[in-house]
Short mmCIF file of all heavy atoms in Angstrom, two decimals:
data_model
loop_
_atom_site.label_atom_id
_atom_site.label_comp_id
_atom_site.label_asym_id
_atom_site.label_seq_id
_atom_site.Cartn_x
_atom_site.Cartn_y
_atom_site.Cartn_z
N LEU X 1 -8.89 -16.23 -15.13
CA LEU X 1 -8.54 -16.29 -13.71
C LEU X 1 -7.10 -15.88 -13.47
O LEU X 1 -6.79 -15.20 -12.49
CB LEU X 1 -8.78 -17.71 -13.19
CG LEU X 1 -10.24 -18.15 -13.11
CD1 LEU X 1 -10.33 -19.62 -12.69
CD2 LEU X 1 -11.03 -17.27 -12.15
N CYS X 2 -6.20 -16.31 -14.37
CA CYS X 2 -4.80 -15.90 -14.24
C CYS X 2 -4.66 -14.39 -14.38
O CYS X 2 -3.91 -13.75 -13.63
CB CYS X 2 -3.94 -16.62 -15.28
SG CYS X 2 -3.77 -18.40 -15.02
N GLN X 3 -5.39 -13.82 -15.36
CA GLN X 3 -5.35 -12.37 -15.52
C GLN X 3 -5.92 -11.67 -14.29
O GLN X 3 -5.40 -10.64 -13.84
CB GLN X 3 -6.14 -11.98 -16.77
CG GLN X 3 -6.06 -10.50 -17.11
CD GLN X 3 -4.64 -10.08 -17.46
OE1 GLN X 3 -3.86 -10.88 -17.98
NE2 GLN X 3 -4.31 -8.82 -17.19
N LYS X 4 -6.99 -12.23 -13.71
CA LYS X 4 -7.57 -11.65 -12.52
C LYS X 4 -6.59 -11.75 -11.35
O LYS X 4 -6.47 -10.82 -10.54
CB LYS X 4 -8.88 -12.36 -12.17
CG LYS X 4 -9.64 -11.74 -11.00
CD LYS X 4 -10.93 -12.49 -10.74
CE LYS X 4 -11.88 -12.33 -11.91
NZ LYS X 4 -13.19 -12.97 -11.62
N ASN X 5 -5.88 -12.88 -11.26
CA ASN X 5 -4.87 -13.01 -10.20
C ASN X 5 -3.77 -11.96 -10.36
O ASN X 5 -3.28 -11.39 -9.37
CB ASN X 5 -4.26 -14.41 -10.22
CG ASN X 5 -5.24 -15.47 -9.74
OD1 ASN X 5 -6.19 -15.16 -9.03
ND2 ASN X 5 -5.01 -16.70 -10.14
N ILE X 6 -3.40 -11.71 -11.60
CA ILE X 6 -2.38 -10.69 -11.84
C ILE X 6 -2.89 -9.31 -11.43
O ILE X 6 -2.18 -8.51 -10.81
CB ILE X 6 -1.95 -10.71 -13.32
CG1 ILE X 6 -1.25 -12.04 -13.65
CG2 ILE X 6 -1.04 -9.54 -13.64
CD1 ILE X 6 -0.91 -12.19 -15.11
N GLU X 7 -4.17 -9.01 -11.77
CA GLU X 7 -4.74 -7.72 -11.39
C GLU X 7 -4.84 -7.59 -9.87
O GLU X 7 -4.56 -6.52 -9.31
CB GLU X 7 -6.12 -7.58 -12.03
CG GLU X 7 -6.07 -7.50 -13.55
CD GLU X 7 -7.47 -7.47 -14.16
OE1 GLU X 7 -8.45 -7.59 -13.39
OE2 GLU X 7 -7.57 -7.35 -15.41
N ILE X 8 -5.24 -8.71 -9.20
CA ILE X 8 -5.32 -8.67 -7.74
C ILE X 8 -3.94 -8.46 -7.14
O ILE X 8 -3.75 -7.69 -6.19
CB ILE X 8 -5.95 -9.97 -7.22
CG1 ILE X 8 -7.43 -10.05 -7.63
CG2 ILE X 8 -5.83 -10.07 -5.69
CD1 ILE X 8 -8.10 -11.36 -7.28
N GLN X 9 -2.92 -9.17 -7.73
CA GLN X 9 -1.56 -9.01 -7.23
C GLN X 9 -1.09 -7.58 -7.44
O GLN X 9 -0.43 -6.98 -6.55
CB GLN X 9 -0.64 -10.00 -7.94
CG GLN X 9 0.81 -9.95 -7.45
CD GLN X 9 1.68 -10.94 -8.18
OE1 GLN X 9 1.23 -11.64 -9.07
NE2 GLN X 9 2.95 -10.98 -7.80
N ALA X 10 -1.44 -6.98 -8.58
CA ALA X 10 -1.04 -5.58 -8.83
C ALA X 10 -1.74 -4.64 -7.86
O ALA X 10 -1.14 -3.68 -7.34
CB ALA X 10 -1.36 -5.21 -10.27
N ALA X 11 -3.05 -4.90 -7.59
CA ALA X 11 -3.78 -4.06 -6.63
C ALA X 11 -3.19 -4.18 -5.24
O ALA X 11 -3.07 -3.17 -4.51
CB ALA X 11 -5.26 -4.45 -6.64
N CYS X 12 -2.84 -5.41 -4.83
CA CYS X 12 -2.22 -5.60 -3.51
C CYS X 12 -0.90 -4.87 -3.42
O CYS X 12 -0.57 -4.25 -2.39
CB CYS X 12 -2.04 -7.09 -3.23
SG CYS X 12 -3.59 -8.00 -3.01
N THR X 13 -0.13 -4.95 -4.50
CA THR X 13 1.15 -4.23 -4.52
C THR X 13 0.95 -2.73 -4.41
O THR X 13 1.68 -2.02 -3.69
CB THR X 13 1.92 -4.58 -5.80
OG1 THR X 13 2.09 -5.99 -5.89
CG2 THR X 13 3.28 -3.90 -5.82
N GLU X 14 -0.09 -2.23 -5.11
CA GLU X 14 -0.38 -0.79 -5.06
C GLU X 14 -0.81 -0.39 -3.65
O GLU X 14 -0.40 0.68 -3.14
CB GLU X 14 -1.47 -0.45 -6.07
CG GLU X 14 -1.80 1.03 -6.14
CD GLU X 14 -2.87 1.33 -7.17
OE1 GLU X 14 -3.30 0.37 -7.86
OE2 GLU X 14 -3.28 2.51 -7.27
N ILE X 15 -1.64 -1.22 -3.00
CA ILE X 15 -2.08 -0.91 -1.63
C ILE X 15 -0.90 -0.93 -0.67
O ILE X 15 -0.78 -0.06 0.22
CB ILE X 15 -3.17 -1.91 -1.20
CG1 ILE X 15 -4.45 -1.69 -2.03
CG2 ILE X 15 -3.48 -1.78 0.29
CD1 ILE X 15 -5.53 -2.70 -1.76
N GLU X 16 0.00 -1.95 -0.86
CA GLU X 16 1.16 -2.02 0.01
C GLU X 16 2.05 -0.79 -0.17
O GLU X 16 2.60 -0.24 0.81
CB GLU X 16 1.95 -3.29 -0.28
CG GLU X 16 1.23 -4.57 0.18
CD GLU X 16 2.01 -5.82 -0.19
OE1 GLU X 16 3.06 -5.67 -0.86
OE2 GLU X 16 1.57 -6.92 0.18
N ASN X 17 2.20 -0.35 -1.42
CA ASN X 17 2.99 0.86 -1.67
C ASN X 17 2.34 2.09 -1.03
O ASN X 17 3.02 2.96 -0.46
CB ASN X 17 3.17 1.07 -3.16
CG ASN X 17 4.01 -0.02 -3.81
OD1 ASN X 17 4.84 -0.65 -3.13
ND2 ASN X 17 3.80 -0.25 -5.10
N HIS X 18 1.00 2.15 -1.10
CA HIS X 18 0.30 3.27 -0.50
C HIS X 18 0.44 3.27 1.02
O HIS X 18 0.65 4.33 1.65
CB HIS X 18 -1.18 3.22 -0.90
CG HIS X 18 -1.99 4.36 -0.35
ND1 HIS X 18 -1.77 5.68 -0.71
CD2 HIS X 18 -3.01 4.37 0.55
CE1 HIS X 18 -2.63 6.46 -0.06
NE2 HIS X 18 -3.39 5.68 0.71
N LEU X 19 0.35 2.06 1.61
CA LEU X 19 0.55 1.95 3.06
C LEU X 19 1.96 2.35 3.46
O LEU X 19 2.17 2.98 4.51
CB LEU X 19 0.24 0.52 3.52
CG LEU X 19 -1.24 0.08 3.47
CD1 LEU X 19 -1.37 -1.38 3.86
CD2 LEU X 19 -2.07 0.96 4.41
N GLU X 20 2.91 1.96 2.64
CA GLU X 20 4.29 2.33 2.96
C GLU X 20 4.48 3.83 2.90
O GLU X 20 5.17 4.43 3.74
CB GLU X 20 5.24 1.63 1.98
CG GLU X 20 6.71 1.82 2.27
CD GLU X 20 7.11 1.18 3.59
OE1 GLU X 20 6.43 0.22 4.03
OE2 GLU X 20 8.11 1.64 4.18
N GLU X 21 3.82 4.47 1.92
CA GLU X 21 3.89 5.93 1.85
C GLU X 21 3.24 6.58 3.08
O GLU X 21 3.73 7.58 3.62
CB GLU X 21 3.23 6.42 0.56
CG GLU X 21 3.97 6.02 -0.70
CD GLU X 21 3.22 6.46 -1.94
OE1 GLU X 21 2.11 7.03 -1.78
OE2 GLU X 21 3.75 6.24 -3.05
N LEU X 22 2.09 5.98 3.53
CA LEU X 22 1.43 6.51 4.73
C LEU X 22 2.31 6.36 5.96
O LEU X 22 2.35 7.24 6.83
CB LEU X 22 0.09 5.82 4.94
CG LEU X 22 -1.01 6.13 3.91
CD1 LEU X 22 -2.26 5.31 4.21
CD2 LEU X 22 -1.32 7.62 3.89
N ARG X 23 3.01 5.23 6.05
CA ARG X 23 3.90 5.03 7.20
C ARG X 23 5.01 6.07 7.20
O ARG X 23 5.39 6.63 8.24
CB ARG X 23 4.48 3.62 7.16
CG ARG X 23 3.47 2.52 7.45
CD ARG X 23 4.19 1.18 7.65
NE ARG X 23 3.25 0.09 7.83
CZ ARG X 23 2.82 -0.70 6.87
NH1 ARG X 23 3.26 -0.52 5.62
NH2 ARG X 23 1.95 -1.66 7.13
N LYS X 24 5.57 6.32 6.02
CA LYS X 24 6.63 7.32 5.95
C LYS X 24 6.11 8.70 6.33
O LYS X 24 6.75 9.45 7.07
CB LYS X 24 7.23 7.33 4.54
CG LYS X 24 8.02 6.08 4.20
CD LYS X 24 8.59 6.19 2.80
CE LYS X 24 9.39 4.96 2.43
NZ LYS X 24 9.96 5.04 1.07
N GLU X 25 4.92 9.02 5.78
CA GLU X 25 4.35 10.35 6.09
C GLU X 25 4.00 10.47 7.56
O GLU X 25 4.21 11.52 8.19
CB GLU X 25 3.11 10.57 5.23
CG GLU X 25 2.49 11.95 5.42
CD GLU X 25 1.26 12.15 4.55
OE1 GLU X 25 0.98 11.22 3.73
OE2 GLU X 25 0.60 13.20 4.67
N GLY X 26 3.46 9.37 8.12
CA GLY X 26 3.12 9.40 9.54
C GLY X 26 4.34 9.52 10.42
O GLY X 26 4.34 10.21 11.45
N SER X 27 5.42 8.81 10.04
CA SER X 27 6.65 8.90 10.83
C SER X 27 7.24 10.30 10.75
O SER X 27 7.83 10.80 11.72
CB SER X 27 7.67 7.85 10.34
OG SER X 27 8.00 8.09 8.99
N GLU X 28 7.09 10.98 9.59
CA GLU X 28 7.59 12.34 9.47
C GLU X 28 6.79 13.32 10.35
O GLU X 28 7.34 14.27 10.89
CB GLU X 28 7.53 12.77 8.00
CG GLU X 28 8.51 12.01 7.12
CD GLU X 28 8.35 12.38 5.66
OE1 GLU X 28 7.42 13.18 5.36
OE2 GLU X 28 9.15 11.89 4.82
N ARG X 29 5.46 13.06 10.52
CA ARG X 29 4.62 13.95 11.31
C ARG X 29 4.52 13.50 12.76
O ARG X 29 3.83 14.12 13.56
CB ARG X 29 3.22 14.03 10.70
CG ARG X 29 3.19 14.62 9.32
CD ARG X 29 1.77 14.77 8.83
NE ARG X 29 1.72 15.35 7.49
CZ ARG X 29 0.60 15.65 6.83
NH1 ARG X 29 -0.58 15.46 7.45
NH2 ARG X 29 0.64 16.17 5.63
N GLY X 30 5.16 12.38 13.07
CA GLY X 30 5.14 11.90 14.44
C GLY X 30 3.91 11.10 14.79
O GLY X 30 3.55 11.00 15.98
N TRP X 31 3.20 10.57 13.80
CA TRP X 31 2.01 9.77 14.04
C TRP X 31 2.38 8.31 14.16
O TRP X 31 3.35 7.84 13.55
CB TRP X 31 0.99 9.95 12.92
CG TRP X 31 0.48 11.36 12.82
CD1 TRP X 31 0.56 12.33 13.76
CD2 TRP X 31 -0.14 11.93 11.68
NE1 TRP X 31 0.00 13.49 13.33
CE2 TRP X 31 -0.45 13.29 12.03
CE3 TRP X 31 -0.50 11.48 10.41
CZ2 TRP X 31 -1.09 14.16 11.15
CZ3 TRP X 31 -1.14 12.33 9.54
CH2 TRP X 31 -1.42 13.66 9.91
N SER X 32 1.57 7.59 14.90
CA SER X 32 1.74 6.12 15.03
C SER X 32 0.66 5.46 14.19
O SER X 32 -0.49 5.33 14.64
CB SER X 32 1.65 5.69 16.50
OG SER X 32 1.79 4.29 16.59
N LEU X 33 1.00 5.10 12.99
CA LEU X 33 0.00 4.52 12.07
C LEU X 33 -0.47 3.15 12.54
O LEU X 33 -1.65 2.81 12.41
CB LEU X 33 0.60 4.41 10.66
CG LEU X 33 -0.34 3.88 9.57
CD1 LEU X 33 -1.58 4.77 9.44
CD2 LEU X 33 0.39 3.77 8.24
N GLU X 34 0.43 2.37 13.10
CA GLU X 34 0.04 1.03 13.55
C GLU X 34 -0.99 1.12 14.67
O GLU X 34 -1.98 0.37 14.70
CB GLU X 34 1.28 0.26 14.03
CG GLU X 34 2.34 0.07 12.96
CD GLU X 34 1.83 -0.81 11.83
OE1 GLU X 34 0.91 -1.62 12.08
OE2 GLU X 34 2.36 -0.70 10.70
#
């Protein structure tokens, strides 16, 4: 379970990083991601 929590935490971190990249890309193209 601890290992699964670590994997879930890593996946959440990866998704947050991907969302942050999308926000940056959207702001560069003038899109409103929110």
Side-chain angles (χ1 to χ4, degrees):
L1 292 175
C2 291
Q3 185 64 30
K4 185 179 295 184
N5 289 338
I6 295 175
E7 294 175 357
I8 293 174
Q9 182 180 1
C12 292
T13 303
E14 183 179 357
I15 292 174
E16 290 177 356
N17 294 334
H18 181 64
L19 290 176
E20 185 65 25
E21 292 177 358
L22 291 177
R23 290 191 184 95
K24 291 181 179 180
E25 183 179 355
S27 61
E28 292 175 356
R29 297 185 180 183
W31 297 342
S32 179
L33 183 59
E34 299 295 335

